[in-house]
Amino acid sequence: MKFSIPGYALLDSGDGRKLERFGDVVIDRPSSLSAWRRRNDAVWEGADAAYLPPDKWECSRSPFTTWQTEIANVKLELELMSNGQLGIFPEHAIYLPQVEAAIKRFLAAGSRTVRVLNLFAYTGLATAFCAKHERVLVTHVDLAKRAIDWAKRNVQLNTSATDRVRWIAEDALTFMAREARKGNAYDIVIIDPPSFSRVSKNNSWTLEEKTPEIVNLVLDVLAPESGVVFLTNHSAASTSDVARNIALDRFNDQGVSIEISPLSLKEERSDRILPAGSLITLSHNSH
Ligand SMILES: C[S@@+](CC[C@H](N)C(=O)[O-])C[C@H]1O[C@@H](n2cnc3c(N)ncnc32)[C@H](O)[C@@H]1O
């Protein structure tokens, strides 16, 4: 897996924190996995903002809360959110070149329009990336209206062809079940389920318990014999194997390749990596 992400760098990590550059803004945040030592104390002095849990940001120079940047050739609005998030999970930029290659394969094979389904789509990194391509129609699904509004702004920063995106503010599983009933299929499914989802007061789930249902729903809406899936897992590593086995069962091991690869961020000036989950890709052998 290629490590470098244009516009982003992991500058250093250690002692329970990570130091990252997003465009020209340097951010210092907690990182529970960074159980090693910092390599370069001096570089941390350059942080523009540091997150202090549970909800505080400390800016080193003039205070700011939002900025615009370009990561993986996608223009994005980022924000210092009170939960420590910024509006991007940079590891998701790692597989965008594979998504682009899949789009190009569909177009080269004669598809008039490539139908992309982006589930748990957050602030729309993958949506904006895909919508920059002609003859692509992205269906963007997220439960949170605030995330959808943010993703709309990100798409607008990248293309004037905003009609390439269909916006759905709904539970991703409910949406997939309805699409399957209607017989609607997608060429590319990008899905980044959270480890925990609270859909409503009486409906919450963990990815571990929902993996079989999620994988089956994805395969219900995937174009038969040609569809490609990019599924990411940020929970237990075993969840990726569970997902792979369930998909293999659906195909009786025939006609598909399902690969699991690590999603990791490599430090700019060392060989150390920060683990960030894994990517499960499914593609048809004929494609
Ligand atoms: C991209 S996911 C997970 C991000 C991160 N990789 C992680 O593991 O925490 C977060 C997004 O999923 C959305 N989300 C959570 N539950 C959802 C559901 N049941 N249906 C659709 N979107 C949901 C949230 O609104 C949020 O924008």
Side-chain angles (χ1 to χ4, degrees), residues 89 92 120 122 142-144 147 170-172 192 194 197 199 205 234:
F89 292 98
H92 292 278
F120 306 97
Y122 194 48
D142 197 286
L143 191 56
E170 191 177 22
D171 168 44
D192 177 28
S197 172
V199 181
W205 46 257
H234 302 276

Side-chain angles (χ1 to χ4, degrees), residues 85 89 91-92 119-123 141-145 147-148 168-174 191-199 203 205 207 232-235 276:
Q85 292 185 9
F89 292 98
E91 59 272 20
H92 292 278
L119 298 154
F120 306 97
Y122 194 48
T123 56
V141 185
D142 197 286
L143 191 56
K145 181 152 184 322
I148 297 244
I168 312 283
E170 191 177 22
D171 168 44
L173 280 64
T174 307
I191 171 164
D192 177 28
S195 305
F196 174 80
S197 172
R198 189 178 167 85
V199 181
N203 177 10
W205 46 257
L207 182 56
T232 47
N233 165 33
H234 302 276
S235 298

Side-chain angles (χ1 to χ4, degrees), residues 199-257:
V199 181
S200 63
K201 217 169 130 205
N202 302 316
N203 177 10
S204 53
W205 46 257
T206 64
L207 182 56
E208 272 84 358
E209 68 200 27
K210 276 288 173 192
T211 295
E213 186 178 336
I214 287 175
V215 172
N216 277 308
L217 283 168
V218 167
L219 297 178
D220 287 344
V221 297
L222 191 68
E225 289 165 39
S226 62
V228 179
V229 179
F230 298 89
L231 163 66
T232 47
N233 165 33
H234 302 276
S235 298
S238 57
T239 301
S240 300
D241 292 307
V242 172
R244 182 170 177 274
N245 291 347
I246 286 169
L248 283 171
D249 280 351
R250 277 279 293 255
F251 290 95
N252 284 323
D253 293 357
Q254 302 293 308
V256 286
S257 302

